[in-house]
Amino acid sequence: MDSQKVGASDIILTGDRTTGPLHLGHYVGSLKNRVVLQDVCPQFLLLADAQALTDNMGNYVKVRDNVLQVALDYLAVGIDPAKSTIFIQSLVPELSELSSYYLNLVTVARLERNPTIKDEIKLRGFERDIPAGFLTYPAAQAADITAFKATVVPVGADQVPMIEQTNEIVRRFNNSVDADILVECRALVPEDGARLPGIDGKAKMSKSMGNALSLGASEDDIRQAVKMMFTDPNHLRVADPGQVEGNVVFTYLDAFDPDRTAVEELKAHYRRGGLGDMVIKRRLEDILQTLLAPIRARREEFAKDPAQVMAILKAGTQKAREAAGRTLSEVKGAMGINYF
Ligand code: TRP
């Protein structure tokens, strides 16, 4: 992820659906970078509970309960509420209001053509029984972004079509009122190396696939995860030559081990043969234990006082409402529908 491209005049907005606690994949792909970016420019972080409800309305308990869990993850990794504005999407009604106007700037056909929506519909088996709120969430996401005049939106590669659709809405709106009210944004997508596979070697780490290591993982969870980690299935004896490509232990060492030279030497040794999985796993376990111990400790500390965390979210939400309210007034003002 090229944080260099972000400057003091930028405004960042990004967020997470609150469907479960965050994991190591989120840490590598986005959370780590947010900790850096909060020192560069204003950063808004959205707990996207309303968006999570678009395909989880029957599971609102899960969505609601994970607002606190995701907030704990943010705070645990070092996102500082004095620098980043963390807020709850459903408590900013200005976003729904903006979204209701944006819905008139997109067609159903265009929503159905959105590649992310298309994939997600297939994945969830919605076919034609797609909740209307789900089909239209790109317009709501455009509201999330534009309400804060965000210029930079750090997201996974799968979210790029959302940014394109947002910018279409921005241009349409600005054109229709013949004024530059809304601001176009750009996606900040992590580099390939920042995508962490699951511990089973599957392309994506995901809680629902059961191959994730959560940020609150205990020492024992970490030990178990490394023990079960996918290596080279053909590397049966220590003396055998082993494969490094697709070997999750090496992928993780690449992501987390600061000693590049040592990792390259280990790779060469593994390829030659004579290096056992136990040795590389022990090294990785040490590194992960060291990385996650302070995160777990901070998470537990904050978790002891949920009221304090909710107070942080309340203050952030208040600030977010003010910012979104200003944009909403401008939007309505541009159309002259601020009647009195
Ligand atoms: N759609 C994002 C996800 O699936 C979450 C999200 C909601 C978001 N609103 C956003 C991301 C606005 C960036 C900007 O994780």
Side-chain angles (χ1 to χ4, degrees):
M1 198 156 346
D2 194 357
S3 348
Q4 303 310 315
K5 283 188 292 189
V6 180
S9 61
D10 278 309
I11 296 175
I12 293 176
L13 178 127
T14 190
D16 299 279
R17 293 183 192 176
T18 57
T19 49
L22 304 182
H23 54 59
L24 214 51
H26 295 111
Y27 180 75
V28 174
S30 64
L31 297 174
K32 209 169 99 185
N33 207 37
R34 294 182 197 175
V35 176
V36 175
L37 290 171
Q38 67 184 350
D39 285 318
V40 177
C41 67
Q43 176 167 255
F44 291 90
L45 299 177
L46 158 97
L47 297 163
D49 61 337
Q51 186 178 111
L53 287 172
T54 63
D55 64 338
N56 279 288
M57 198 65 177
N59 221 341
Y60 61 84
V61 173
K62 175 180 86 175
V63 171
R64 174 240 289 159
D65 289 350
N66 277 301
V67 166
L68 177 64
Q69 294 306 313
V70 175
L72 287 172
D73 289 328
Y74 284 1
L75 297 168
V77 298
I79 289 170
D80 178 352
K83 298 175 180 172
S84 298
T85 305
I86 309 172
F87 68 100
I88 302 177
Q89 187 183 31
S90 65
L91 286 178
V92 185
E94 289 78 6
L95 297 177
S96 327
E97 201 175 336
L98 269 180
S99 169
S100 72
Y101 299 122
Y102 294 174
L103 279 169
N104 307 319
L105 297 169
V106 296
T107 65
V108 172
R110 174 65 179 91
L111 289 164
E112 285 174 339
R113 267 201 317 274
N114 182 310
T116 308
I117 292 286
K118 257 167 103 170
D119 286 351
E120 289 180 328
I121 289 175
K122 218 180 288 159
L123 210 71
R124 289 162 177 71
F126 279 149
E127 307 287 330
R128 291 298 297 169
D129 287 328
I130 170 174
F134 186 82
L135 179 66
T136 57
Y137 93 71
Q141 191 154 331
D144 299 339
I145 295 168
T146 56
F148 303 96
K149 308 226 159 158
T151 52
V152 173
V153 186
V155 279
D158 63 308
Q159 293 285 306
V160 170
M162 295 295 162
I163 309 302
E164 285 165 6
Q165 195 154 13
T166 296
N167 286 335
E168 276 173 39
I169 290 173
V170 167
R171 287 191 291 269
R172 283 222 174 110
F173 180 78
N174 287 349
N175 257 325
S176 74
V177 297
D178 200 19
D180 284 335
I181 306 288
L182 301 177
V183 177
E184 287 194 51
C185 63
R186 59 187 196 277
L188 189 65
V189 177
E191 293 147 19
D192 281 351
R195 187 190 184 113
L196 208 63
I199 60 168
D200 58 357
K202 296 235 171 72
K204 201 173 168 177
M205 181 177 277
S206 119
K207 187 174 150 50
S208 58
M209 284 164 69
N211 63 5
L213 189 55
S214 77
L215 291 173
S218 68
E219 256 180 66
D220 211 48
D221 295 336
I222 299 168
R223 194 171 307 122
Q224 285 304 322
V226 175
K227 204 161 145 196
M228 283 162 48
M229 207 168 264
F230 182 84
T231 57
D232 170 4
N234 297 316
H235 185 238
L236 298 176
R237 278 172 299 262
V238 173
D240 291 343
Q243 196 171 321
V244 165
E245 290 71 30
N247 186 319
V248 180
V249 177
F250 279 108
T251 311
Y252 280 39
L253 285 173
D254 277 337
F256 299 110
D257 194 329
D259 191 344
R260 309 310 316 153
T261 335
V263 174
E264 289 313 313
E265 277 165 17
L266 285 171
K267 283 182 184 171
H269 192 176
Y270 196 81
R271 287 195 176 104
R272 272 198 314 273
L275 181 59
D277 283 0
M278 281 296 289
V279 176
I280 54 169
K281 283 192 168 181
R282 195 164 308 129
R283 183 182 181 98
L284 178 62
E285 197 206 315
D286 278 351
I287 291 169
L288 291 180
Q289 296 287 11
T290 307
L291 171 74
L292 290 174
I295 295 178
R296 178 175 55 243
R298 265 199 306 271
R299 202 180 191 287
E300 281 168 2
E301 204 46 46
F302 280 110
K304 277 189 206 150
D305 193 354
Q308 185 209 344
V309 178
M310 292 318 277
I312 290 171
L313 300 186
K314 190 171 179 186
T317 302
Q318 189 54 40
K319 205 174 147 199
R321 279 200 75 173
E322 284 160 19
R326 281 192 293 275
T327 304
L328 179 61
S329 301
E330 286 178 53
V331 162
K332 294 174 83 170
M335 293 191 286
I337 60 169
N338 47 351
Y339 304 103
F340 34 75

